[in-house]
Amino acid sequence: MSLRGPHHSARRLPCKFITLDLFYELMDAPVIIYQASAGSGKTYQIALTYLTLLKKNINKEIPFKDLLAITFTNEAAYEMKERIIRFLKEIVLKTEEGKTLSEMTTLAPEEASYLIDNLFLNYDYLDVRTIDSFLLKLFRGLAYEMNLYPRFSVVKYVDDSYLEKALMYLYEEALVKENLLAFFESFVDFILTHESRVQLNLKKRILRELKEFIKVSTYKEEFLRGATSLQDVENNKDSSTTNRRAFFSLKLWSLLKEKLERVFLEEGQIYMGIWKEKLAQTLRKEELPWVYVKLGMLSGFIIDEFQDTDRLHWLTIYPLVEDMISQGKVFVAAGDPKQSIYRWKGGDPTLMTTLREKLAIHRPVEKPLNINYRSCASIVNFNNAFFEALKGDDIKDSFLKRTLFGKDPKSLEEDLLNEAKSELDNLFSQITQEPKKNIDGRVYIDWIACQEKDTTSSIRKLLWDRIREILCELRDKGELADTAILLRRNEDIIELSGFLLNHDFKVLGSSFLKIKGSPLITALIAFMKLFYDEDDEMALATVLKGLYGNKGHKVLSNYMNFKNLQKGAFDLKKYLKDYEGEIWQDIERLVLKASYLNLYQFMRMLIDHFKLEETHPEERIYIYKFLSIILSLTFQGLDGEEFLKNWESHLEEEVDLPEDEAMIKILTIHKAKGLEFRNVIFPLDMHYQPMRPTLGLVFTENAIHRGKKEDIPREFLKFYYAERISSSLEMLNLFYVAFTRAIKNLYILVPVKPKDNFLAAELFIRTFEKIGEEVKNKWCFLR
């Protein structure tokens, strides 16, 4: 039997509704790939697939036990669980939808009822989780095989003191190992000889770079491969300067990583990037039988948002996937390369192609989901026309030349351009969708005339004014509910939110959703600081202002007046003791109680004591998210003092977007991914932000280089440009995500400037010119 080539390995199925016969054909395949365009009912299809796999397990004691579905956010995992349970209920109740679901999954109402009862008793076996959560579960299961203490806690940050301790361990080892000392001498000699600007504080530079290494090691699979090239460079004195610079950087990181791991283990902790790497290496060493012994066999494995998977994730789970398929089990991947907007975090849309090539021997069945259930016909047809026009050769050429080589390229690398064009074509190979939603709607194109003298700031003011006018129009028509404005930067969200609040609009900006941005949470953390240092005047003032309400504000005001009348120092603590004894005694009682409590109990006590849930109902979402994080950290053995060392890192998480349609949502495009809104406003004021190789490291097939573009040998420049190609294409992905969020009305605001326009606006104008007049007249309203 001859194998198909990489571009013909998957059997493509017609882009129509999935009929019953077609669905059965899908479920007989060992590998299923859903190419899920925006609004195409991907979660519905995944839930349907899960129930069909569940049907095959109906006679098992716990049917859910050996099925796994993973995605990338807790919110997506919750939505998938909710959909699975709702489908089972619909089947039991024999609703019209339930009858269709029953036919598609072959689950009878009696069987669905049995599954709900079974789920009630075995809910923990409904294994729908994030990919990091799944890998951590694997890691804990294999802790003994990896010589680790099984009750470790996982941290997402590296404290400076840990880095310094690791460097100290490395220094102590160098004192007794001549070859290690020789390495450091060569390293310093290289820096003095080849670096044009040698910093006096070399330690500060090393720590800064090591922090960046640590950050990218959580998703850069190249760092694993890079370690194998170190020995060759070390022994080859004829290596280039860029090659040796890369060698010293990676060698230092490799040495430090061992010591850093030791520091973490001494603290009963492990860093996220290190455990992902160790797990990937362990599963390569034929440890799969132990995975099955400890965690059980899988009969079905579903992975969502595959385009956002990084290569280190894939490297880790691939041995499991390959082994499953070889045993006749089912693997399902769903994703859309057009919506790949997390390349900066390691997301790799080309993994879809890698998946087809790796599993070609199993003849994966590929199903494009190309019916749009979200948007009105005007929006769907406009997007079909716009992104098809975007793929035109002249537009592709001009856009990619501009982003890859600058406005006036001195030397155009034709092979690089062709590679970028090919990747663009692959990303947007599945464009055309069929609209299904039967509502009236429109795409409004607002041309914002700008003068040549206009600055970025003045153009944004014009855009903000136009946004205000659109919101007034919607309000006058009674259609303001469920409106979102999509922007690129958090700074712009803050600015626009303030502007609209001043014009009496109710707004909610995604930049306000971070837990650490809540004044109430800040006050709780201040009380924690006060527990460890009662002389912390700033913390004491924050507690009075944030937890004692009007009474606290009055005390602070009286204190400031009192202090102004006094000669010499008189601190807030002494004032409270002498003049506000009731409040100070209350604080002392709470501090005393806290000394007997763990971190979670401490925070819960404060919330109950000050009745924060009742007095601050608008802050409840922050309180509950905060308590959830604190509870998790308490289970990991963290106390308040350890928490305070990096409290901002712990509280980087965001609360879920409230479902209040009356509030105008102002979001980043990244935050809006996966969401939909009745009206969407999208100003095209994005500049191009080219990505450069991380830490200047360029990984080729056989070597590693580090340096500026002009330092890299010419034959390796294509590897240098790989990151720039990614950032160029990500702008197009951002367009696609933003254009596909609207249900009824999409407003695109286009600055028109004679010279030096925003690249996003310039690209839109050129592409829009290529769209046929019939499409413009029928689906768009120009103004």
Side-chain angles (χ1 to χ4, degrees):
M1 184 179 78
S2 63
L3 297 180
R4 301 177 181 209
H7 298 294
H8 302 88
S9 58
R11 291 169 283 162
R12 295 188 179 275
L13 299 169
C15 303
K16 300 290 184 184
F17 288 110
I18 295 187
T19 63
L20 192 59
D21 290 341
L22 178 53
F23 191 69
Y24 291 156
E25 180 185 348
L26 284 172
M27 298 318 301
D28 284 339
V31 181
I32 304 167
I33 302 173
Y34 291 125
Q35 285 247 29
S37 294
S40 60
K42 179 187 63 174
T43 305
Y44 179 98
Q45 191 62 48
I46 290 175
L48 201 62
T49 303
Y50 183 94
L51 291 184
T52 308
L53 294 173
L54 197 58
K55 164 71 175 183
K56 296 180 179 181
N57 291 353
I58 197 73
N59 294 321
K60 295 184 179 180
E61 183 180 356
I62 305 175
F64 302 88
K65 189 174 181 179
D66 57 358
L67 296 178
L68 171 67
I70 59 177
T71 185
F72 283 81
T73 65
N74 289 315
E75 293 82 1
Y78 172 81
E79 182 187 1
M80 202 181 296
K81 283 184 177 181
E82 187 275 333
R83 191 72 66 97
I84 290 166
I85 295 169
R86 187 177 71 78
F87 281 6
L88 287 172
K89 289 180 179 177
E90 295 287 343
I91 294 172
V92 171
L93 295 172
K94 301 180 183 179
T95 63
E96 286 304 311
E97 183 183 11
K99 291 174 184 177
T100 302
L101 292 168
S102 179
E103 185 180 14
M104 294 290 283
T105 62
T106 72
L107 276 171
E110 297 77 17
E111 292 173 320
S113 179
Y114 163 73
L115 288 170
I116 289 175
D117 291 342
N118 193 290
L119 184 59
F120 182 78
L121 297 172
N122 302 287
Y123 185 76
D124 285 348
Y125 287 107
L126 179 57
D127 207 358
V128 181
R129 58 175 68 224
T130 64
I131 190 166
D132 281 335
S133 171
F134 169 64
L135 294 182
L136 181 57
K137 180 182 176 181
L138 278 181
F139 195 76
R140 289 192 186 279
L142 294 171
Y144 178 80
E145 285 69 32
M146 291 187 280
N147 298 315
L148 295 172
Y149 177 61
R151 294 179 63 84
F152 57 80
S153 60
V154 176
V155 295
K156 299 180 181 180
Y157 63 90
V158 177
D159 191 277
D160 283 357
S161 63
Y162 284 21
L163 267 176
E164 296 205 12
K165 194 172 182 181
L167 284 170
M168 181 58 67
Y169 283 154
L170 202 54
Y171 171 73
E172 290 171 354
E173 187 176 342
L175 293 178
V176 296
K177 288 188 177 180
E178 289 186 12
N179 60 334
L180 188 55
L181 186 60
F183 164 76
F184 282 114
E185 289 172 349
S186 299
F187 178 41
V188 172
D189 182 60
F190 178 86
I191 290 175
L192 294 173
T193 305
H194 296 283
E195 303 300 343
S196 56
R197 291 187 299 171
V198 179
Q199 297 180 356
L200 294 177
N201 192 338
L202 189 57
K203 175 185 170 184
K204 185 177 179 181
R205 168 188 163 168
I206 291 173
L207 283 173
R208 186 180 67 249
E209 290 193 354
L210 287 174
K211 281 185 178 179
E212 187 66 20
F213 268 97
I214 289 166
K215 179 181 173 183
V216 300
S217 70
T218 61
Y219 59 82
K220 279 282 188 182
E221 180 261 343
E222 294 92 337
F223 277 41
L224 290 181
R225 291 192 287 107
T228 62
S229 305
L230 295 179
Q231 196 65 38
D232 293 340
V233 178
E234 188 170 15
N235 297 328
N236 184 2
K237 300 302 180 184
D238 295 327
S239 298
S240 67
T241 301
T242 55
N243 206 194
R244 292 190 64 76
R245 184 182 288 116
F247 158 72
F248 283 117
S249 301
L250 282 171
K251 178 76 172 181
L252 179 60
W253 162 239
S254 180
L255 291 167
L256 182 84
K257 187 168 57 175
E258 296 176 14
K259 306 306 175 190
L260 192 57
E261 187 176 347
R262 173 183 164 186
V263 174
F264 277 121
L265 293 179
E266 287 173 353
E267 300 293 330
Q269 300 171 340
I270 191 161
Y271 177 65
M272 181 181 286
I274 293 175
W275 69 254
K276 282 168 67 175
E277 180 180 332
K278 286 179 73 70
L279 185 59
Q281 292 169 334
T282 299
L283 290 179
R284 285 179 182 177
K285 296 176 181 177
E286 308 301 325
E287 293 288 354
L288 286 179
W290 283 111
V291 174
Y292 301 138
V293 167
K294 296 190 174 187
L295 302 179
M297 297 287 290
L298 290 174
S299 64
F301 188 167
I302 300 171
I303 180 169
D304 189 16
E305 301 291 1
F306 194 73
Q307 79 281 349
D308 292 329
T309 306
D310 65 58
R311 287 200 170 263
L312 192 51
H313 275 139
W314 176 241
L315 190 69
T316 307
I317 66 173
Y318 179 69
L320 283 172
V321 172
E322 189 176 40
D323 191 63
M324 264 184 56
I325 297 169
S326 68
Q327 296 182 44
K329 312 301 182 184
V330 179
F331 174 68
V332 181
D336 182 13
K338 301 188 295 298
Q339 299 186 68
S340 178
I341 58 174
Y342 289 102
R343 294 170 188 252
W344 53 278
K345 289 175 67 175
D348 188 350
T350 64
L351 276 177
M352 280 289 211
T353 302
T354 302
L355 175 67
R356 296 185 190 101
E357 294 172 353
K358 285 273 190 181
L359 302 179
I361 193 171
H362 301 289
R363 299 192 64 212
V365 173
E366 187 168 353
K367 169 59 188 168
L369 304 178
N370 284 341
I371 295 174
N372 190 304
Y373 298 94
R374 173 185 295 155
S375 304
C376 68
S378 295
I379 294 173
V380 174
N381 288 313
F382 168 77
N383 284 332
N384 288 344
F386 181 85
F387 288 100
E388 279 297 337
L390 186 63
K391 289 160 50 178
D393 284 340
D394 55 340
I395 294 175
K396 274 191 303 193
D397 278 14
S398 62
F399 170 71
L400 291 171
K401 285 177 184 177
R402 165 86 177 270
T403 54
L404 291 178
F405 308 110
K407 292 182 180 179
D408 183 25
K410 295 178 180 177
S411 59
L412 178 61
E413 300 286 349
E414 198 64 35
D415 56 337
L416 280 172
L417 185 61
N418 289 333
E419 183 179 331
K421 286 162 65 175
S422 175
E423 190 172 340
L424 190 155
D425 288 337
N426 287 334
L427 277 179
F428 290 92
S429 60
Q430 300 287 333
I431 284 294
T432 304
Q433 287 188 287
E434 179 184 333
K436 190 68 176 175
K437 206 170 193 75
N438 187 24
I439 61 169
D440 291 330
R442 184 70 67 172
V443 177
Y444 295 90
I445 314 292
D446 283 43
W447 307 107
I448 311 297
C450 306
Q451 304 300 316
E452 190 170 335
K453 63 180 180 181
D454 279 332
T455 62
T456 296
S457 179
S458 62
I459 293 173
R460 287 218 168 97
K461 187 177 184 309
L462 294 173
L463 290 170
W464 291 177
D465 285 336
R466 184 65 192 120
I467 288 171
R468 179 181 57 79
E469 291 169 3
I470 293 170
L471 295 176
C472 289
E473 291 171 12
L474 289 169
R475 184 170 59 190
D476 293 343
K477 292 189 292 185
E479 296 183 1
L480 186 57
D482 197 22
T483 295
I485 304 166
L486 306 186
L487 303 174
R488 178 68 183 269
R489 305 184 313 152
N490 281 314
E491 297 91 325
D492 296 335
I493 290 174
I494 294 169
E495 182 183 338
L496 179 57
S497 297
F499 174 80
L500 293 178
L501 284 168
N502 287 334
H503 287 84
D504 298 324
F505 287 101
K506 290 176 62 179
V507 302
L508 177 67
S510 60
S511 57
F512 307 153
L513 298 178
K514 287 191 182 296
I515 302 172
K516 67 181 183 181
S518 162
L520 200 58
I521 302 305
T522 302
L524 290 171
I525 292 168
F527 204 110
M528 201 185 303
K529 292 178 180 178
L530 201 61
F531 175 79
Y532 291 102
D533 180 8
E534 65 177 27
D535 294 321
D536 187 334
E537 184 155 320
M538 182 64 72
L540 182 55
T542 304
V543 166
L544 290 172
K545 185 178 178 182
L547 298 181
Y548 284 91
N550 292 332
K551 188 174 183 179
H553 282 267
K554 186 175 180 180
V555 168
L556 283 173
S557 178
N558 291 341
Y559 166 65
M560 293 306 298
N561 292 332
F562 179 84
K563 188 176 181 180
N564 290 335
L565 296 174
Q566 300 301 309
K567 293 181 178 179
F570 197 91
D571 62 34
L572 180 57
K573 175 183 165 185
K574 179 172 173 53
Y575 174 80
L576 290 179
K577 282 183 174 182
D578 293 350
Y579 299 99
E580 299 288 349
E582 184 182 345
I583 284 185
W584 181 251
Q585 288 168 19
D586 187 53
I587 291 172
E588 283 190 318
R589 280 194 298 270
L590 291 171
V591 168
L592 180 62
K593 285 183 183 179
S595 62
Y596 298 99
L597 304 176
N598 64 31
L599 180 58
Y600 174 79
Q601 292 167 336
F602 180 13
M603 292 297 102
R604 183 75 255 186
M605 175 193 70
L606 292 178
I607 290 166
D608 292 341
H609 178 79
F610 292 105
K611 296 182 173 57
L612 299 181
E613 291 163 283
E614 293 81 13
T615 57
H616 296 77
E618 75 285 355
E619 294 270 350
R620 284 177 190 162
I621 54 173
Y622 296 96
I623 293 171
Y624 298 150
K625 188 75 171 183
F626 175 67
L627 285 175
S628 173
I629 293 170
I630 292 295
L631 181 62
S632 174
L633 294 173
T634 302
F635 278 139
Q636 293 175 23
L638 219 67
D639 62 21
E641 201 164 15
E642 292 171 313
F643 172 81
L644 289 173
K645 287 179 183 177
N646 290 279
W647 71 269
E648 289 192 341
S649 300
H650 288 302
L651 300 184
E652 275 294 328
E653 290 192 40
E654 297 178 348
V655 298
D656 297 334
L657 201 64
E659 295 183 7
D660 182 354
E661 291 192 349
M663 299 188 80
I664 299 160
K665 313 295 192 305
I666 308 179
L667 315 170
T668 62
I669 302 169
H670 291 87
K671 184 69 179 177
K673 186 173 180 292
L675 303 177
E676 59 183 37
F677 307 92
R678 186 175 179 82
N679 308 301
V680 169
I681 303 171
F682 181 37
L684 298 181
D685 57 345
M686 293 191 297
H687 280 301
Y688 172 61
Q689 298 172 321
M691 293 166 63
R692 293 178 175 82
T694 306
L695 289 161
L697 285 165
V698 176
F699 295 85
T700 70
E701 287 108 337
N702 303 309
I704 311 167
H705 297 267
R706 186 181 186 194
K708 298 177 182 177
K709 184 179 71 171
E710 53 269 23
D711 299 330
I712 305 296
R714 184 174 177 79
E715 63 268 27
F716 299 129
L717 271 180
K718 69 173 184 176
F719 298 100
Y720 178 91
Y721 275 104
E723 297 277 4
R724 189 165 286 189
I725 290 173
S726 288
S727 57
S728 298
L729 298 178
E730 190 165 90
M731 176 176 277
L732 309 184
N733 294 134
L734 289 168
F735 264 45
Y736 183 81
V737 171
F739 284 11
T740 54
R741 298 306 99 195
I743 297 171
K744 187 175 191 292
N745 297 308
L746 172 63
Y747 296 85
I748 303 173
L749 278 55
V750 190
V752 181
K753 190 179 178 186
K755 191 177 180 183
D756 296 327
N757 200 3
F758 294 97
L759 181 60
E762 190 178 311
L763 175 63
F764 181 88
I765 293 167
R766 291 210 58 195
T767 307
F768 191 75
E769 289 172 352
K770 297 293 181 179
I771 295 176
E773 291 300 319
E774 182 182 351
V775 172
K776 293 179 185 177
N777 296 332
K778 190 172 182 180
W779 308 119
C780 302
F781 187 79
L782 311 181
R783 47 190 194 170

